Amino acid sequence: MEKFIIYSKEYRNHYDRFLKHVYAIGYSPASCKTFKTSIAEFMYWLEKKNIIVNDVTESTLKDYYNYQQERPALNGGVLSESRITLNMYAIKIFFQDLLDRELIEVHPMNNLEYTVDYKRTRENLLTINDVKKLYSVCESAKQRSILGIIYGCG
């Protein structure tokens, strides 16, 4: 949690309670470590935006989802789809725990289908004509072979 420091006592309490919860229900230490980072970033983001946990709505979660798609990853580029999915799953567990403890009345992710938005990342796929153009500019069999391997790997 080096990067996402939570200052508020309220957000810190939610964070600590969630960590105890995921360990108690039997998630693996590796999953707990991942959830720890996911929830730390979410709490950090909420704190930065001055949003109280009880006031989180579907709209808030959509904004957070968009933030994740655009924010730079620590190793360059942007977060992968799988990382965003994992982060959203951790948030779903977080709010389910709050609902189970009766700290919130409605789960803000009940009607939210965040996986649908992943199609945005598919815009970078090549069309058949694009692939044909790539093959047409290859100057040797070696280049066509390399292109075939790369394209075949996805």
Side-chain angles (χ1 to χ4, degrees):
M1 200 178 88
E2 304 87 35
K3 187 172 190 239
F4 305 111
I5 299 169
I6 305 166
Y7 295 100
S8 163
K9 187 175 182 178
E10 177 188 350
Y11 295 101
R12 171 59 74 180
N13 288 341
H14 282 299
Y15 171 79
D16 291 339
R17 187 180 317 114
F18 175 75
L19 291 182
K20 288 176 187 172
H21 171 70
V22 293
Y23 278 105
I25 61 176
Y27 278 99
S28 73
S31 293
C32 291
K33 182 178 177 184
T34 303
F35 294 158
K36 178 179 180 179
T37 305
S38 298
I39 294 301
E41 181 175 6
F42 183 58
M43 291 291 118
Y44 173 81
W45 184 83
L46 288 175
E47 187 175 41
K48 233 172 69 173
K49 300 276 185 183
N50 263 345
I51 300 171
I52 299 168
V53 172
N54 294 19
D55 292 342
V56 171
T57 63
E58 287 181 20
S59 177
T60 308
L61 292 170
K62 286 178 185 177
D63 289 346
Y64 182 69
Y65 178 81
N66 291 332
Y67 155 78
Q68 288 184 94
Q69 286 191 319
E70 295 167 3
R71 88 151 174 88
L74 296 177
N75 60 352
V78 293
L79 294 178
S80 68
E81 290 180 31
S82 60
R83 181 60 198 203
I84 293 171
T85 299
L86 201 75
N87 290 347
M88 297 306 286
Y89 179 69
I91 293 167
K92 187 174 186 174
I93 295 169
F94 172 75
F95 281 109
Q96 186 59 51
D97 179 48
L98 292 179
L99 188 65
D100 293 345
R101 293 174 188 265
E102 298 180 356
L103 296 175
I104 59 172
E105 293 180 20
V106 178
H107 194 306
M109 292 183 86
N110 271 352
N111 301 315
L112 190 61
E113 191 61 45
Y114 55 86
T115 56
V116 174
D117 293 335
Y118 289 150
K119 292 179 181 159
R120 277 189 358 174
T121 61
R122 302 290 184 226
E123 294 170 355
N124 298 329
L125 291 178
L126 298 175
T127 65
I128 293 173
N129 286 335
D130 292 336
V131 175
K132 287 179 181 178
K133 286 179 190 175
L134 284 172
Y135 274 108
S136 71
V137 296
C138 289
E139 296 175 356
S140 66
K142 182 179 179 181
Q143 288 178 345
R144 283 189 294 281
S145 298
I146 291 170
L147 182 60
I149 291 168
I150 293 170
Y151 183 71
C153 291

